Amino acid sequence: MAAAKSNLSVRLAIRSNEVLRALREIIGRMDGFVLQEDPRASRVDILVLEVGNAPEQELETIRALMQAGVVGSLFITSTQATPEILLPALRAGAKEFFQQPINAQEVITALGQAKKLETTTHDAEAEPLQLGKIHCVLGAKGGVGSTTFAVNLATNLQAALPEKLIALVDLNRLTGEVPLFLDLETGFNWEEIGNNLNRLDEAYLKSALIRHASGIYVVPAPATLDLDGKTPANLGAHILSGMQSVFDHIIVDMEKRIDQEALHILSAAQQLYLIANLTMPCMVSVKRLTDTLREQGIQESKMRVVANRFEKKSQIDLQEAARIIGKEIDAIIPNDYRLSMMGINRGKPLAEVDSNSAAAMAYGELAESIEGVEGRQKSRRRGWGLFQRR
Ligand SMILES: Nc1ncnc2c1ncn2[C@@H]1O[C@H](COP(=O)(O)OP(=O)(O)OP(=O)(O)O)[C@@H](O)[C@H]1O
Ligand SMILES: [Mg+2]
């Protein structure tokens, strides 16, 4: 979040003349980057590699170079975006994929993000660190749509703020579903993170998180129970606090159980979204939750009640709901079961399934109502950059 001090070096390992020319031109025009043409250079910050028909072998060498610190970040380009190319690229640690013909905006956004990550890693002391904002998503009851909400808020926020670093953290122990909603393979190891709490720095987090096509970084939920008590206490809260110095916004799909750790996280959050459906049990539950949280010192001003699966003809209308819970409903997401199931089954955010649907648009508007997004170019939608054409 501080200003960059030095240029990032970029090496282009590209066979096709046309692609090489396009990349040289785009990168040549960008501030903060230099093309590294010297083959004897001992290190390069970003390698853009064109992969052909045998990506496994090509990428194996690069992976070794990355492990040795000779290559910082790896970007891949190819004429095709098939799983045979993308999967080895992901495994080798590629951060971006540019399908050919090269789209200049995709390259500019990707390099901008790489610069930002580099800046936060190296310039932490240059300016007082502005901590990222935590947005907690908490269901008033099970099954009201909290994970759907968290996933779509995060991806829409990234689309509204393409140059910002956005993370989505799933804290639902054992029952976490965020990777399924985004068709991601989990690779994050909570036990390992627990053992490395003392080095929870930017570089480590960067290497441990999974990147989604929309640009967001994902922390899947812990997949095991800590029966032998080896996981450090408040691990989720520790990880979130470490992430705040790297990411601009962190969306957290909270577990429904409120314990001390959850209260700690909610206190640190800038915003708390309470997700509910307009049913009597849900309204009662929202009332109980808001009362309890208030008693525990969580400011009411940061609580936003969201009526999910909203239908104009529902038995409880918005006024009635506000009367029951003693608080206005701050946002509504229209009911669209078919769309939401298509999103879940295909592992895609709603905007990718049908960007013109009322529910997808509601998420877009919600993201644009967040502090820091307001007043920017509205409805400026960034295409799903990385691996979007899978
Ligand atoms: N706007 C919507 N309209 C209709 N159905 C929706 C909407 N949003 C979510 N759903 C549906 O609600 C169900 C529950 O969604 P989701 O898993 O996101 O809820 P949850 O609160 O995270 O559940 P859990 O308590 O199991 O974690 C899913 O079937 C989903 O498709
Ligand atoms: Mg859920």
Side-chain angles (χ1 to χ4, degrees):
M1 294 162 206
K5 273 182 199 157
S6 56
N7 290 330
L8 288 187
S9 56
V10 184
R11 161 78 52 81
L12 301 175
I14 307 288
R15 272 175 285 226
S16 143
N17 282 338
E18 200 181 321
V19 176
L20 184 62
R21 209 170 27 244
L23 286 172
R24 273 205 181 123
E25 201 181 307
I26 298 163
I27 298 166
R29 274 190 270 122
M30 289 182 76
D31 284 340
F33 297 91
V34 283
L35 286 169
Q36 175 57 267
E37 313 264 12
D38 181 356
R40 292 159 306 169
S42 56
R43 185 191 142 81
V44 63
D45 294 314
I46 297 170
L47 174 69
V48 188
L49 176 75
E50 180 172 26
V51 287
N53 297 332
E56 296 273 4
Q57 290 97 307
E58 290 169 272
L59 287 162
E60 195 45 53
T61 317
I62 303 296
R63 193 212 301 257
L65 291 176
M66 286 174 77
Q67 275 169 1
V70 178
V71 170
S73 297
L74 173 63
F75 293 1
I76 299 292
T77 176
S78 172
T79 49
Q80 303 164 55
T82 59
E84 289 72 37
I85 303 229
L86 294 175
L87 287 179
L90 270 174
R91 278 190 216 111
K95 293 234 170 68
E96 293 287 346
F97 173 78
F98 307 129
Q99 186 165 12
Q100 296 166 16
I102 295 292
N103 173 325
Q105 194 50 49
E106 267 182 28
V107 177
I108 291 168
T109 305
L111 286 173
Q113 290 210 345
K115 181 86 184 161
K116 184 156 178 54
L117 275 172
E118 185 70 15
T119 301
T120 53
T121 307
H122 292 300
D123 289 359
E125 74 286 358
E127 273 178 19
L129 198 62
Q130 211 195 339
L131 290 180
K133 296 195 168 96
I134 297 179
H135 308 259
C136 290
V137 179
L138 181 60
K141 289 171 73 68
V144 291
S146 344
T147 302
T148 305
F149 184 91
V151 163
N152 286 284
L153 181 65
T155 48
N156 276 281
L157 197 52
Q158 181 75 79
L161 298 172
E163 75 284 15
K164 298 283 181 189
L165 289 172
I166 315 281
L168 172 59
V169 179
D170 188 346
L171 286 185
N172 290 276
R173 271 164 282 198
L174 276 186
T175 59
E177 292 173 326
V178 164
L180 288 176
F181 278 56
L182 288 172
D183 193 21
L184 288 172
E185 281 183 30
T186 60
F188 190 83
N189 186 334
W190 282 76
E191 216 169 274
E192 188 195 309
I193 299 281
N195 293 333
N196 286 289
L197 263 190
N198 56 343
R199 53 177 292 236
L200 205 57
D201 57 16
E202 292 88 338
Y204 184 62
L205 278 173
K206 254 164 49 182
S207 66
L209 266 54
I210 311 168
R211 184 98 184 272
H212 177 251
S214 59
I216 65 170
Y217 287 80
V218 175
V219 178
T224 52
L225 277 183
D226 176 38
L227 293 176
D228 48 12
K230 279 193 183 151
T231 309
N234 296 332
L235 180 55
H238 275 295
I239 290 180
L240 281 175
S241 128
M243 287 176 72
Q244 274 187 288
S245 51
V246 179
F247 291 93
D248 297 288
H249 294 276
I250 305 163
I251 289 62
V252 189
D253 186 7
M254 299 285 289
E255 211 166 21
K256 273 147 199 114
R257 195 172 61 124
I258 306 281
D259 55 13
Q260 278 307 325
E261 182 178 17
L263 280 176
H264 184 83
I265 294 170
L266 293 173
S267 306
Q270 267 67 38
Q271 200 89 76
L272 162 58
Y273 292 94
L274 291 167
I275 315 300
N277 300 152
L278 290 182
T279 62
M280 192 52 88
C282 237
M283 292 300 104
V284 172
S285 180
V286 173
K287 167 106 182 83
R288 204 178 297 139
L289 251 177
T290 48
D291 286 349
T292 309
L293 294 176
R294 218 182 289 118
E295 279 161 26
Q296 295 296 327
I298 310 290
Q299 293 159 300
E300 180 158 348
S301 58
K302 65 184 184 190
M303 301 181 201
R304 294 180 90 180
V305 180
V306 179
N308 189 34
R309 308 193 66 169
F310 175 75
E311 278 181 308
K312 283 199 183 114
K313 290 185 186 148
S314 82
Q315 291 202 337
I316 301 178
D317 64 21
L318 292 174
Q319 279 162 350
E320 174 74 351
R323 197 188 56 73
I324 300 169
I325 59 180
K327 194 174 170 357
E328 291 296 317
I329 305 288
D330 296 281
I332 55 171
I333 306 289
N335 186 45
D336 193 337
Y337 184 70
R338 195 170 158 269
L339 177 80
S340 68
M341 284 314 291
M342 276 163 78
I344 294 173
N345 290 333
R346 295 185 192 170
K348 289 188 187 307
L350 301 186
E352 247 192 291
V353 180
D354 180 359
S355 59
N356 293 321
S357 62
M361 291 211 267
Y363 278 112
E365 281 166 26
L366 194 77
E368 282 172 357
S369 74
I370 286 178
E371 207 192 317
V373 186
E374 273 172 337
R376 298 170 59 90
Q377 275 174 282
K378 300 270 177 188
S379 307
R380 180 162 55 100
R381 292 272 178 269
R382 171 195 176 200
W384 305 113
L386 176 73
F387 304 124
Q388 71 186 64
R389 298 172 195 85
R390 218 165 359 152

